[in-house]
Amino acid sequence: MMDFKIAVLAGDGIGPEISVQGVDVMTAVCEKFGHKVSYEYAICGADAIDKVGDPFPEETYQVCKQADAVLFSAVGDPKFDNDPTAKVRPEQGLLAMRKKLGLFANIRPVQTFKCLVHKSPLKAELVDGADFLCIRELTGGMYFGEKYQDNDKAYDTNMYTRPEIERILKVGFEYAMKRRKHLTVVDKANVLASSRLWRQIAQEMAPQYPEVTTDYMFVDNAAMKMIQEPKFFDVMVTENTFGDILTDEGSVISGSMGLLPSASTGESTPVFEPIHGSWPQAKGLNIANPLAQILSVAMLFEYFDCKEEGALIRRAVDASLDANVRTPEIQVEGGAKYGTKEVGAWIVDYIRKA
């Protein structure tokens, strides 16, 4: 039996609607397995800017720091997207959260669901059975390096240090050990000095994991290989900028971004969140797919080594898809109409009866 103290950050757009479904599933699983769970709610993103002028206020940080895990939903609002002069943006809250909690590793599974393979932009035979992890370094590189901009010149500095590279590669090797023992280190070592250091350190560390087959791939080649042969990959590890691009490429392979969860882990409280954005156009319409948020809860349990709990959530999600209990964007033609709440309620019911 465990006690879970969960910080809930619903954020913007569809965030609050899917957040409720994640919390309900977490509660149902904890009841089923005899765990105690308590929730502390905090503001972030555009919602927090409107309320207190800061997308990740100190109070929210304290709530996250004192929790065992953060169940996060989404941030972002069009009023900021369309204003290039805005000094404070919802997304800065995400960067601040990662930095303050020391979340240096972003773990994104790319997996396909048999009944949704036809939704993938790739041919069924390419994607059926694809199942890999993208591990992205989250707090270094160009996004956090020294920046400069005037009317005629701008630069971003892509800097990495040995400790930053070693700790993320360690995460990559350890996940590979738990899976199919194949790690692909993605870089641009033919052009970038920072990438050459990544590759050098990876080659130094590889002998410590003799069971893992380690290979190296330039990022342009990796982007092609993900489309041509997604089943080649098991665990892929890369730096911040490349990881940002490749994880989004990977996310559409499965056919719906509404299905994929992620975890960000590091020195402090881990954060579990869906990979899709805040989809402000759908706010309040009860059409957002809650499955990525629900699968984030499965990842949360698995992180704490509660494998049965995670497996039950995954079975419930698979069962809902098989029963065509789906939100509009993945519903089969002529299938019944289900909204965010209805899909969440169906899954909670399945968990309770299991």
Side-chain angles (χ1 to χ4, degrees), residues 7 15 35 74 110 159 164 177 180 217 227 252 256 277 305 339 350:
H35 303 305
V110 175
M159 192 178 88
E164 285 176 316
M177 285 294 291
R180 300 190 299 275
M217 206 178 277
I227 298 303
V252 295
S256 170
D305 223 28
Y350 180 97

Side-chain angles (χ1 to χ4, degrees), residues 5-218:
K5 191 175 177 188
I6 307 297
V8 181
L9 274 56
D12 308 323
I14 58 169
E17 296 164 68
I18 58 168
S19 178
V20 171
Q21 310 314 318
V23 166
D24 286 353
V25 166
M26 175 111 199
T27 303
V29 172
C30 284
E31 281 170 7
K32 178 119 197 135
F33 286 86
H35 303 305
K36 277 195 179 135
V37 62
S38 61
Y39 304 100
E40 182 114 14
Y41 292 80
I43 56 171
C44 64
D47 176 44
I49 295 174
D50 290 344
K51 285 173 179 161
V52 298
D54 181 344
F56 189 66
E58 177 63 23
E59 206 172 299
T60 298
Y61 168 55
Q62 291 302 331
V63 168
C64 293
K65 210 170 87 168
Q66 286 152 26
D68 297 311
V70 178
L71 192 58
F72 176 80
S73 298
V75 294
D77 190 288
K79 70 182 176 194
F80 295 95
D81 298 343
N82 303 327
D83 178 7
T85 62
K87 289 279 182 274
V88 185
R89 297 175 175 279
E91 292 74 14
Q92 288 167 344
L94 259 186
L95 294 179
M97 177 164 73
R98 289 169 186 166
K99 201 73 179 168
K100 285 186 164 181
L101 293 175
L103 303 171
F104 61 81
N106 179 244
I107 296 125
R108 275 201 194 181
V110 175
Q111 62 181 123
T112 47
F113 296 82
K114 272 217 179 302
C115 59
L116 288 171
V117 163
H118 66 286
K119 285 276 191 186
S120 173
L122 302 184
K123 289 177 184 163
E125 63 266 27
L126 289 182
V127 290
D128 191 12
D131 172 14
F132 61 96
L133 276 188
C134 294
I135 297 178
R136 165 190 169 194
E137 201 288 325
L138 260 194
T139 54
M142 268 200 288
Y143 291 10
F144 292 94
E146 190 189 326
K147 297 178 185 309
Y148 175 81
Q149 181 184 359
D150 62 29
N151 281 334
D152 304 301
K153 183 175 80 175
Y155 60 77
D156 300 277
T157 315
N158 195 29
M159 192 178 88
Y160 271 104
T161 62
R162 174 174 281 273
E164 285 176 316
I165 298 168
E166 283 177 345
R167 68 185 184 179
I168 189 72
L169 287 172
K170 184 170 184 275
V171 173
F173 280 112
E174 285 174 358
Y175 268 100
M177 285 294 291
K178 288 181 202 164
R179 288 172 54 94
R180 300 190 299 275
K181 298 186 167 55
H182 175 203
L183 181 69
T184 305
V185 180
V186 176
D187 61 31
K188 191 67 179 158
N190 54 341
V191 179
L192 299 177
S194 55
S195 279
R196 286 194 282 277
L197 183 61
W198 269 75
R199 191 170 287 213
Q200 178 195 325
I201 292 171
Q203 286 170 345
E204 289 168 14
M205 288 174 71
Q208 297 165 31
Y209 301 90
E211 289 171 63
V212 176
T213 304
T214 308
D215 47 40
Y216 303 87
M217 206 178 277
F218 296 146

